[in-house]
Amino acid sequence: MSQSNHDPDLESWQHNLAPHNLSYRIKLLSQLLGRNFTEKLEPFGLTPFHWLVLCCLWQEDGLPTSSISDRLKQVGGTLTGVLDRMEERGLVRRERDLHDRRIWRIWLTDAGRELETTLPPIAAAVRAEAMHGISSPDCELFSQLLNQAIANLS
């Protein structure tokens, strides 16, 4: 027997159904942001994943591959391919750790460092476009809420 659209039990969990549920809307937002950012990075021959790796290295150059993977919550195989392409483009170089030969450290090249002046304003413009019409305190709250939800599920 099907339930009516006016069933109080159905209405109580209606917000959990697509396209109204949180995971669907977050996925949609991610796809839209990713598409927009990908278009902006295309002239540089980069992807959003390249951007994430560059951000890690701009914050701390010479990170071990495993640390980059941990920070980005990525599996090694995926990151290895991205690093291969970044190395081919002359953005990073790999070096064995001086104290532990099993560890590969990733270092920015001059070309990778130069992008630090070019790419952050592009990322900021994409963020500003996405958050247009949302107050700064609400943007900050949104970021904090996302961080809490991520921590809850990690």
Side-chain angles (χ1 to χ4, degrees):
M1 178 176 227
S2 68
Q3 292 186 344
S4 162
N5 285 340
H6 300 292
D7 184 331
D9 290 333
L10 180 61
E11 288 179 16
S12 70
W13 53 269
Q14 190 73 24
H15 65 279
N16 290 315
L17 300 175
H20 308 289
N21 68 11
L22 182 63
S23 61
Y24 173 79
R25 290 182 292 147
I26 288 174
K27 181 180 179 188
L28 180 59
L29 176 60
S30 176
Q31 288 174 331
L32 293 169
L33 282 168
R35 187 178 308 141
N36 189 305
F37 198 35
T38 297
E39 289 172 5
K40 304 283 192 294
L41 292 175
E42 197 171 309
F44 300 93
L46 300 173
T47 68
F49 200 171
H50 293 134
W51 157 258
L52 293 173
V53 172
L54 288 168
C55 286
C56 287
L57 296 173
W58 292 332
Q59 292 169 8
E60 186 178 346
D61 202 10
L63 286 170
T65 305
S66 60
S67 292
I68 296 170
S69 183
D70 290 345
R71 289 180 186 200
L72 300 179
K73 311 286 188 243
Q74 293 293 319
V75 294
T78 303
L79 180 61
T80 300
V82 169
L83 291 173
D84 287 345
R85 289 184 291 286
M86 291 178 77
E87 192 170 30
E88 289 167 7
R89 291 184 177 136
L91 300 174
V92 299
R93 72 180 193 284
R94 291 179 171 118
E95 291 182 9
R96 292 251 186 219
D97 185 274
L98 296 176
H99 304 291
D100 187 341
R101 303 278 301 154
R102 297 170 296 174
I103 297 172
W104 284 95
R105 292 194 172 271
I106 311 302
W107 298 91
L108 290 165
T109 63
D110 289 342
R113 271 189 218 91
E114 287 173 13
L115 289 172
E116 189 174 9
T117 59
T118 307
L119 298 183
I122 294 170
V126 170
R127 182 184 189 278
E129 182 179 352
M131 298 310 211
H132 178 76
I134 303 172
S135 71
S136 291
D138 283 347
C139 286
E140 181 59 32
L141 177 60
F142 181 61
S143 181
Q144 290 171 3
L145 293 171
L146 286 174
N147 286 341
Q148 183 62 54
I150 291 166
N152 290 345
L153 296 174
S154 292

